[in-house]
Amino acid sequence: MLNKIEQLLDEVRTLTASNAQELEALRIKYLSKKGCISDLMNDFRNVPSEQKRELGMRINALKQEATEHINALRAKLATKEDTETVYDLTRTPYPAEIGTRHPLTIVRNRIIDIFSRMGFTLADGPEVEDDWHVYGSMNFADDHPARDMQDTFYVQGAPSMLLRSHTSSVQSRVMETTQPPIRVICPGRVYRNEAVSARAHCFFHQVEGLYVDEQVSFTDLKQVLLTFARELFGTETQIRLRPSYFPFTEPSAEMDVSCQICHGEGCSLCKGTGWLEILGCGMVHPRVLELNGIDSEKYKGFAFGMGIERIANLLYRVKDLRLFSENDVRFLDEFKAAY
Ligand code: PHE
């Protein structure tokens, strides 16, 4: 019997199981009521009493070692199964969420695209500007109301520094460093001191354009803007130029496009007029050319400027301007298809 115990002990110490079924087979073979250790216990009854103590201890040690070893195998298998379920390579993947472009970026890119096909290049400038580039060089009189604190955000402690209220400042920066021919568009963010509501915000985005060369006429301005309007809103679009006033252009005009909804019949979008205002424009005032170092005898120019939010509203009918700056993904997701 002693030999049998030693032999089983050797066996038990080297047991292995690669899955739950093999493990269960081992448990039955060694530890169940019909297992070989139970058999030993049955035989134990016939052992002469002087050997009982010694053999009894050894059988118990064998049983304990077998139990511990099989439990250890079970724990090892469980952790193996855990790691296997984490890496289920057969599972279908989670769909990747693709972001969207912001509607203002979409519209800005379309505007840039149209003008670049007409030969305009991009120009950029600072949002925190000096009074000269925003107003002085643009022929604003010292007491012009647009300089008033109500419209312009000034930098505290630096009275001649401000947040630009239009991107004409970039036109000024281009003219002071470049001689004609000049053909640029300037997209960018601008700031005005307005109470924030569904229809106004204290910042918005503009694209302004400047064309300076010899023999530039109002006809050139009109044709460029007509081409732009038809590219953006469709080939049937009509434009209308109404006389207006800006300190930096003379003559000045405001441009309307025929209403996208009623095509001139009159509806609620165009308030019954059949027309929608989209931009300001005009021939660059000779004083502005001179103030920026360009010979106004030799050169003429035209300029125009539009709000990107306004155009985006006409294209997508966004009722509340604040949606453009809240970055609510439910709003942004609506532009997934609008590239
Ligand atoms: N700077 C004007 C504005 O901000 C727009 C404009 C640009 C008008 C160029 C005429 C010519 O409203």
Side-chain angles (χ1 to χ4, degrees), residues 290-339:
E290 294 293 338
L291 285 168
N292 290 286
I294 290 176
D295 182 354
S296 66
E297 294 290 328
K298 189 169 173 200
Y299 296 110
K300 300 216 175 323
F302 66 75
F304 55 86
M306 67 194 93
I308 302 180
E309 279 83 350
R310 166 95 184 133
I311 308 251
N313 268 339
L314 296 181
L315 291 171
Y316 304 129
R317 313 273 139 71
V318 179
K319 289 222 172 66
D320 190 331
L321 210 60
R322 288 168 289 196
L323 285 166
F324 286 126
S325 48
E326 279 167 358
N327 281 340
D328 185 330
V329 284
R330 291 167 301 178
F331 171 69
L332 297 177
D333 274 352
E334 293 189 25
F335 298 89
K336 264 196 174 136
Y339 278 75

Side-chain angles (χ1 to χ4, degrees), residues 1-2 5 44 46-59:
M1 178 168 243
L2 197 55
I5 293 172
F44 182 71
N46 308 324
V47 165
S49 55
E50 67 275 11
Q51 292 179 15
K52 268 203 157 87
R53 191 179 131 81
E54 165 80 17
L55 285 175
M57 274 164 54
R58 282 180 183 254
I59 291 174

Side-chain angles (χ1 to χ4, degrees), residues 5-72:
I5 293 172
E6 291 298 331
Q7 184 206 330
L8 282 174
L9 204 53
D10 284 346
E11 251 179 68
V12 158
R13 283 177 179 150
T14 57
L15 292 181
T16 56
S18 55
N19 57 45
Q21 279 138 338
E22 284 181 32
L23 184 74
E24 180 60 6
L26 293 180
R27 190 192 64 79
I28 290 168
K29 181 172 174 198
Y30 293 95
L31 295 176
S32 70
K33 281 204 180 111
K34 292 182 181 153
C36 47
I37 295 177
S38 283
D39 285 350
L40 275 182
M41 298 236 184
N42 289 339
D43 294 347
F44 182 71
R45 289 194 212 113
N46 308 324
V47 165
S49 55
E50 67 275 11
Q51 292 179 15
K52 268 203 157 87
R53 191 179 131 81
E54 165 80 17
L55 285 175
M57 274 164 54
R58 282 180 183 254
I59 291 174
N60 277 337
L62 169 67
K63 189 174 180 189
Q64 191 178 346
E65 184 137 356
T67 309
E68 277 170 11
H69 197 83
I70 285 174
N71 282 347

Side-chain angles (χ1 to χ4, degrees), residues 83-149:
T83 45
E84 271 170 8
T85 48
V86 167
Y87 295 106
D88 176 4
L89 298 180
T90 63
R91 193 190 163 286
T92 48
Y94 291 108
E97 276 289 327
I98 297 172
T100 58
R101 271 193 219 286
H102 194 282
L104 295 179
T105 308
I106 296 171
V107 174
R108 187 199 61 193
N109 288 351
R110 284 189 62 191
I111 296 171
I112 291 173
D113 215 47
I114 295 168
F115 283 109
S116 52
R117 274 185 270 129
M118 289 192 268
F120 287 79
T121 55
L122 284 179
D124 203 0
E127 291 179 19
V128 183
E129 258 292 8
D130 52 45
D131 184 273
W132 169 254
H133 288 100
V134 177
Y135 295 130
S137 70
M138 284 288 133
N139 195 34
F140 280 77
D142 283 344
D143 56 356
H144 193 284
R147 293 173 182 240
D148 198 290
M149 294 297 282

Side-chain angles (χ1 to χ4, degrees), residues 229 233 237-239 255-260 274-278:
F233 294 111
T237 307
Q238 304 287 322
I239 62 165
M255 186 177 98
D256 300 340
V257 291
S258 49
C259 180
Q260 303 310 298
W275 296 97
L276 301 160
E277 184 192 319
I278 64 159

